Coordinates of all heavy atoms in Angstrom, one line a residue:
L258 N 83.0 90.7 106.7 CA 83.4 92.1 106.9 C 82.2 93.0 107.1 O 82.2 93.9 107.9 CB 84.3 92.6 105.8 CG 85.7 92.0 105.8 CD1 86.4 92.4 104.5 CD2 86.5 92.4 107.0
S259 N 81.2 92.8 106.2 CA 80.0 93.6 106.3 C 79.2 93.4 107.6 O 78.8 94.4 108.3 CB 79.0 93.2 105.2 OG 77.8 93.9 105.3
L260 N 79.1 92.2 108.1 CA 78.5 91.9 109.4 C 79.3 92.5 110.5 O 78.7 93.1 111.4 CB 78.4 90.4 109.6 CG 77.7 89.9 110.8 CD1 76.3 90.3 110.8 CD2 77.8 88.3 110.9
F261 N 80.6 92.4 110.4 CA 81.5 93.0 111.5 C 81.3 94.5 111.6 O 81.1 95.1 112.6 CB 82.9 92.6 111.3 CG 83.9 93.3 112.2 CD1 84.0 92.9 113.6 CD2 84.7 94.3 111.8 CE1 84.8 93.5 114.4 CE2 85.6 94.9 112.6 CZ 85.6 94.6 113.9
N262 N 81.4 95.1 110.4 CA 81.4 96.6 110.4 C 80.1 97.2 110.7 O 80.0 98.2 111.5 CB 81.8 97.1 109.0 CG 83.3 96.8 108.7 OD1 84.1 96.9 109.6 ND2 83.6 96.5 107.4
D263 N 79.0 96.6 110.2 CA 77.7 97.2 110.4 C 77.0 96.8 111.8 O 76.3 97.6 112.4 CB 76.7 96.7 109.3 CG 77.2 97.2 107.9 OD1 78.0 98.2 107.9 OD2 76.8 96.7 106.9
E264 N 77.2 95.5 112.2 CA 76.5 95.0 113.4 C 77.3 95.0 114.6 O 76.8 94.9 115.7 CB 75.9 93.7 113.1 CG 75.0 93.6 111.9 CD 73.7 94.5 112.1 OE1 73.3 94.6 113.3 OE2 73.2 95.0 111.1
I265 N 78.7 95.0 114.5 CA 79.5 94.8 115.7 C 80.4 96.0 115.9 O 80.2 96.7 117.0 CB 80.4 93.5 115.5 CG1 79.4 92.3 115.4 CG2 81.3 93.4 116.7 CD1 80.2 91.0 115.2
S266 N 81.3 96.3 115.0 CA 82.2 97.4 115.3 C 81.5 98.8 115.5 O 81.9 99.5 116.4 CB 83.1 97.6 114.0 OG 84.1 98.6 114.3
A267 N 80.4 99.0 114.8 CA 79.7 100.3 114.9 C 79.1 100.4 116.3 O 78.7 101.5 116.8 CB 78.6 100.3 113.9
R268 N 78.9 99.3 117.1 CA 78.3 99.3 118.4 C 79.3 99.3 119.5 O 78.9 99.3 120.7 CB 77.3 98.2 118.5 CG 76.2 98.2 117.5 CD 75.2 97.1 117.7 NE 74.2 97.0 116.6 CZ 73.1 96.2 116.6 NH1 72.9 95.5 117.7 NH2 72.3 96.2 115.6
I269 N 80.6 99.1 119.2 CA 81.6 99.1 120.2 C 82.5 100.3 120.1 O 83.1 100.5 119.0 CB 82.5 97.8 120.0 CG1 81.6 96.5 120.0 CG2 83.5 97.7 121.2 CD1 80.9 96.3 121.3
N270 N 82.5 101.1 121.1 CA 83.3 102.3 121.1 C 84.7 102.1 121.4 O 85.2 102.4 122.5 CB 82.7 103.3 122.1 CG 83.4 104.7 122.0 OD1 84.0 105.1 121.0 ND2 83.4 105.4 123.1
Y271 N 85.5 101.5 120.4 CA 86.9 101.2 120.6 C 87.6 101.2 119.3 O 87.3 100.4 118.4 CB 87.1 99.9 121.3 CG 88.5 99.7 121.8 CD1 89.0 100.6 122.8 CD2 89.3 98.7 121.4 CE1 90.3 100.4 123.3 CE2 90.6 98.5 121.9 CZ 91.1 99.4 122.8 OH 92.4 99.2 123.3
E272 N 88.4 102.2 119.0 CA 89.0 102.4 117.7 C 90.0 101.3 117.4 O 90.2 101.0 116.2 CB 89.8 103.7 117.7 CG 88.9 105.0 117.8 CD 89.7 106.2 117.6 OE1 91.0 106.2 117.6 OE2 89.1 107.3 117.6
Q273 N 90.5 100.6 118.3 CA 91.5 99.5 118.0 C 90.9 98.1 118.0 O 91.5 97.1 118.2 CB 92.6 99.6 119.1 CG 93.5 100.8 118.9 CD 94.4 101.0 120.1 OE1 94.2 101.8 121.0 NE2 95.5 100.2 120.1
L274 N 89.6 98.1 117.7 CA 88.9 96.8 117.5 C 89.1 96.4 116.0 O 88.7 97.2 115.1 CB 87.4 97.0 117.8 CG 86.5 95.8 117.5 CD1 86.9 94.6 118.3 CD2 85.0 96.1 117.7
H275 N 89.5 95.2 115.8 CA 89.8 94.7 114.5 C 89.1 93.3 114.3 O 88.6 92.7 115.3 CB 91.3 94.6 114.2 CG 92.0 95.8 114.5 ND1 92.0 96.9 113.7 CD2 92.9 96.2 115.5 CE1 92.7 97.9 114.2 NE2 93.3 97.4 115.3
F276 N 89.2 92.8 113.1 CA 88.5 91.5 112.8 C 89.4 90.6 111.9 O 90.1 91.1 111.0 CB 87.2 91.8 112.0 CG 86.5 90.5 111.5 CD1 86.0 89.6 112.4 CD2 86.5 90.2 110.1 CE1 85.4 88.4 111.9 CE2 85.9 89.1 109.7 CZ 85.3 88.2 110.6
N277 N 89.4 89.3 112.2 CA 90.1 88.3 111.5 C 89.2 87.1 111.2 O 88.6 86.6 112.1 CB 91.3 87.9 112.3 CG 92.1 86.8 111.6 OD1 92.4 86.9 110.4 ND2 92.4 85.7 112.3
N278 N 89.1 86.8 109.9 CA 88.3 85.6 109.5 C 89.2 84.5 109.1 O 89.9 84.5 108.1 CB 87.4 86.0 108.3 CG 86.4 84.9 107.9 OD1 86.2 84.0 108.6 ND2 85.9 85.1 106.7
T279 N 89.2 83.4 110.0 CA 90.0 82.3 109.7 C 89.2 81.1 109.3 O 88.1 80.9 109.7 CB 90.9 81.9 110.9 OG1 91.6 80.7 110.6 CG2 90.0 81.6 112.1
K280 N 89.8 80.3 108.4 CA 89.1 79.1 107.9 C 89.6 77.8 108.7 O 89.1 76.7 108.4 CB 89.3 78.9 106.4 CG 88.6 79.9 105.6 CD 88.8 79.6 104.1 CE 88.0 80.6 103.3 NZ 88.1 80.3 101.8
E281 N 90.5 78.1 109.7 CA 91.0 76.9 110.5 C 89.8 76.3 111.3 O 89.0 77.0 111.9 CB 92.0 77.4 111.4 CG 92.6 76.4 112.3 CD 93.3 75.2 111.6 OE1 94.3 75.5 110.9 OE2 92.7 74.1 111.6
R282 N 89.8 75.0 111.3 CA 88.7 74.2 112.0 C 89.3 73.7 113.3 O 88.5 73.5 114.2 CB 88.2 73.1 111.1 CG 87.3 73.5 110.0 CD 86.0 73.9 110.5 NE 85.0 74.1 109.5 CZ 83.7 74.4 109.7 NH1 83.3 74.6 110.9 NH2 82.9 74.6 108.7

């Protein structure tokens, strides 16, 4: 979540960008 919020979401100008972390292999 920290990586997504700080390094990815903050650089993409789109309010409806979300993140899902799955453990499925």
Side-chain angles (χ1 to χ4, degrees):
L258 287 174
S259 175
L260 183 60
F261 171 75
N262 291 326
D263 298 341
E264 302 297 330
I265 297 174
S266 181
R268 301 185 184 187
I269 306 297
N270 182 28
Y271 194 61
E272 291 183 358
Q273 291 169 260
L274 173 62
H275 308 286
F276 174 68
N277 176 48
N278 184 13
T279 176
K280 293 185 178 181
E281 179 59 67
R282 284 287 188 177

